[in-house]
Amino acid sequence: MSFVCKLQVSAMIWVRMIKLNIKCNSCWSAGCGTETSLVIFRGEKDLKKKLLVMSLNNQCRRRFQTNMAEKELGGSHESSGLIAKNNILEAKEALKSEQDEVSQRRNSQYQQDLKSVLVTSVLNLEKLDVDLYRGTHHWVPRTQRLFGGQIVGQALVAAAKSVSDSLYAHSLHCYFVRAGDPKVPVLYQVDRTRDGRSFTVRSVKAIQHGQPILICQASFQTLQPSPLQHQFPMPVVPPPEDLLTVEELIHHYLSKPDLAEEAKKGLKKLLANEVPIEIKPVNPAHFYRLGPEQPRRLFWGRARGHIGEGNMKLHCCVAAYVSDYALLGTALLPYPEYRAKFAASLDHSMWFHSTFRSDEWMLYECESPWAGSSRGLVQGRMWRRDGVLAASCSQEGVLRVKPVTEPSKL
């Protein structure tokens, strides 16, 4: 809405007083829209305004006072004009001050609105007791089971709450023992396994219906410099600014006139399934298995919204969440003639190598060195934009497949 208020004013001129009925018809504030009365007491040396009913917001009042003072400036009395001129300056200064205050509030609210849903909801835990937490907000994928990355991320959040600020997560190892139920909360029970001088270990059990659904061990370390430093080189790929997001790619495919109706329904379901992370595939055809490919995929990813810097533990938890996205499906890339009828993670391990921000673009490189016995092994590496290897992960999962009756219509 416009910041400019449209005021309907009707006046009754009395001997030394003007009474005005004001109604704000199109003000930005929800507080406006009701009639109020403004009484203006006029004198030769003073101009006082008194609001009898404070239903207009400050912006409206200041603008109205400024307009009234400007009208007074055009009067015939020199003394009244000087007083009105002073009132104009005062009103405009007050208006600018209030505009700045509103702007600051809006910026603050804007930052709050931008706060990543991964922080405010998905990875947010409620403390029930010492080392006992509950997670209630879940993103449910199309499988209608809890997303494994969320359980891993929440388990790491629970473990991180039990260690000092001087410790940073460097590894975690998880076993998925049961499918998660998205209809009930998850309890996280933390066991303080060991507190050492350099390394601290926590064991976390995620529980639903009285039974564990995940067992996780996380290790934390104090920062220790070392002359031993090396890493693999980062793959050379286009920057994220030159690529389309998954949502933009889906809209592109939906615009094709020869797209089969069944494919349209599937793509619309994907589009409706909001994911709290933003993905830009490096090779879209490779990402969507449009032909036989090597078991390797690359995409840029980041958390939606703003997290900020300074809380490395939180960024590790978000990265743990992101690490499970599209990872196991990499093992299916060489087999476009098959589709997974059942896929589930069995275990998940992750190592954190360097500082990073999970709300900034990172390149996720996934590759599968082996598949067999209805299982697939996949390894992943997360790269910062400056080429630093931020994290590595490894996962094995169940992959039961069925033949594809029709080729992809994309």
Side-chain angles (χ1 to χ4, degrees):
M1 293 184 178
S2 171
F3 278 91
V4 179
C5 300
K6 297 177 181 178
L7 303 177
Q8 294 178 344
V9 180
S10 61
M12 290 177 56
I13 302 179
W14 297 344
V15 177
R16 294 177 59 84
M17 183 185 301
I18 298 177
K19 182 178 180 181
L20 298 150
N21 291 322
I22 304 168
K23 182 178 180 181
C24 180
N25 292 328
S26 59
C27 179
W28 66 277
S29 172
C32 287
T34 57
E35 291 191 1
T36 186
S37 296
L38 178 67
V39 175
I40 302 175
F41 295 91
R42 301 185 60 183
E44 293 182 357
K45 296 183 179 180
D46 193 13
L47 180 67
K48 296 181 180 179
K49 299 179 178 65
K50 180 180 179 182
L51 283 171
L52 299 182
V53 182
M54 302 289 288
S55 64
L56 291 181
N57 62 73
N58 289 336
Q59 288 270 356
C60 298
R61 292 198 302 274
R62 291 300 182 188
R63 288 187 182 277
F64 182 76
Q65 289 169 345
T66 302
N67 293 337
M68 291 301 299
E70 287 175 345
K71 288 182 180 179
E72 289 295 325
L73 186 60
S76 59
H77 297 288
E78 182 178 354
S79 59
S80 298
L82 292 175
I83 295 171
K85 184 175 182 180
N86 291 334
N87 278 276
I88 290 176
L89 297 176
E90 291 176 3
K92 287 186 175 180
E93 288 177 2
L95 178 60
K96 185 179 185 302
S97 176
E98 287 170 3
Q99 285 176 334
D100 292 341
E101 183 181 349
V102 169
S103 178
Q104 290 176 0
R105 287 200 304 269
R106 285 194 160 194
N107 288 336
S108 176
Q109 183 64 40
Y110 184 64
Q111 290 294 330
Q112 184 65 29
D113 293 342
L114 282 180
K115 194 72 172 177
S116 175
V117 68
L118 287 171
V119 175
T120 59
S121 180
V122 177
L123 295 179
N124 188 32
L125 298 182
E126 174 191 1
K127 184 175 182 179
L128 301 178
D129 205 338
V130 177
D131 295 337
L132 184 63
Y133 303 90
R134 176 169 58 194
T136 55
H137 297 86
H138 312 297
W139 171 69
V140 182
R142 288 179 299 160
T143 60
Q144 296 303 306
R145 300 192 303 268
L146 281 184
F147 176 51
Q150 176 174 319
I151 309 304
V152 173
Q154 288 185 340
L156 186 57
V157 169
K161 288 180 179 291
S162 68
V163 302
S164 67
D165 293 337
S166 62
L167 294 169
Y168 298 87
H170 76 88
S171 70
L172 61 87
H173 305 275
C174 304
Y175 277 100
F176 299 95
V177 293
R178 288 179 179 84
D181 183 356
K183 298 178 182 179
V184 299
V186 182
L187 296 179
Y188 294 91
Q189 186 176 16
V190 181
D191 177 44
R192 305 193 180 205
T193 308
R194 180 179 184 270
D195 290 323
R197 286 182 295 180
S198 298
F199 294 89
T200 294
V201 179
R202 295 290 183 262
S203 300
V204 183
K205 189 181 293 184
I207 303 170
Q208 279 188 326
H209 303 294
Q211 295 181 316
I213 62 173
L214 175 132
I215 299 172
C216 174
Q217 285 200 326
S219 183
F220 299 82
Q221 180 192 15
T222 57
L223 293 180
Q224 298 176 358
S226 172
L228 305 179
Q229 294 186 16
H230 70 268
Q231 65 168 57
F232 285 169
M234 177 181 176
V236 179
V237 298
E241 291 78 13
D242 295 344
L243 301 172
L244 299 177
T245 64
V246 169
E247 292 79 10
E248 290 169 338
L249 287 168
I250 290 176
H251 283 297
H252 171 70
Y253 292 137
L254 288 173
S255 65
K256 292 186 175 181
D258 58 342
L259 185 64
E261 193 62 32
E262 185 178 351
K264 285 184 180 180
K265 290 181 180 179
L267 289 174
K268 288 179 180 179
K269 286 182 180 180
L270 285 175
L271 200 59
N273 192 25
E274 296 183 359
V275 182
I277 52 179
E278 192 173 2
I279 302 297
K280 289 190 173 185
V282 173
N283 187 336
H286 196 169
F287 193 83
Y288 289 104
R289 300 178 60 212
L290 302 185
E293 300 281 356
Q294 293 296 316
R296 184 172 182 260
R297 66 167 36 134
L298 299 101
F299 61 87
W300 291 96
R302 66 179 178 184
R304 294 188 187 274
H306 176 77
I307 297 177
E309 56 186 351
N311 192 340
M312 191 56 207
K313 288 180 184 176
L314 183 57
H315 285 292
C316 288
C317 295
V318 174
Y321 178 97
V322 175
S323 67
D324 192 36
Y325 184 79
L327 184 59
L328 188 57
T330 307
L332 293 172
L333 290 177
Y335 313 101
E337 69 274 16
Y338 291 100
R339 182 179 302 166
K341 64 178 181 180
F342 180 81
S345 303
L346 293 172
D347 54 32
H348 190 93
S349 297
M350 196 164 186
W351 299 265
F352 303 100
H353 310 306
S354 182
T355 59
F356 59 89
R357 282 186 56 171
S358 54
D359 57 349
E360 294 182 347
W361 289 113
M362 288 198 296
L363 180 66
Y364 196 11
E365 177 189 13
C366 309
E367 57 185 2
S368 175
W370 174 88
S373 300
S374 295
R375 304 194 315 275
L377 176 65
V378 186
Q379 298 168 343
R381 286 182 284 273
M382 291 184 175
W383 303 88
R384 292 188 339 204
R385 293 194 65 165
D386 59 0
V388 173
L389 181 61
S392 303
C393 62
S394 182
Q395 182 181 99
E396 188 178 48
V398 177
L399 285 173
R400 299 192 179 105
V401 299
K402 60 181 180 181
V404 176
T405 55
E406 294 183 6
S408 173
K409 301 297 184 180
L410 298 184

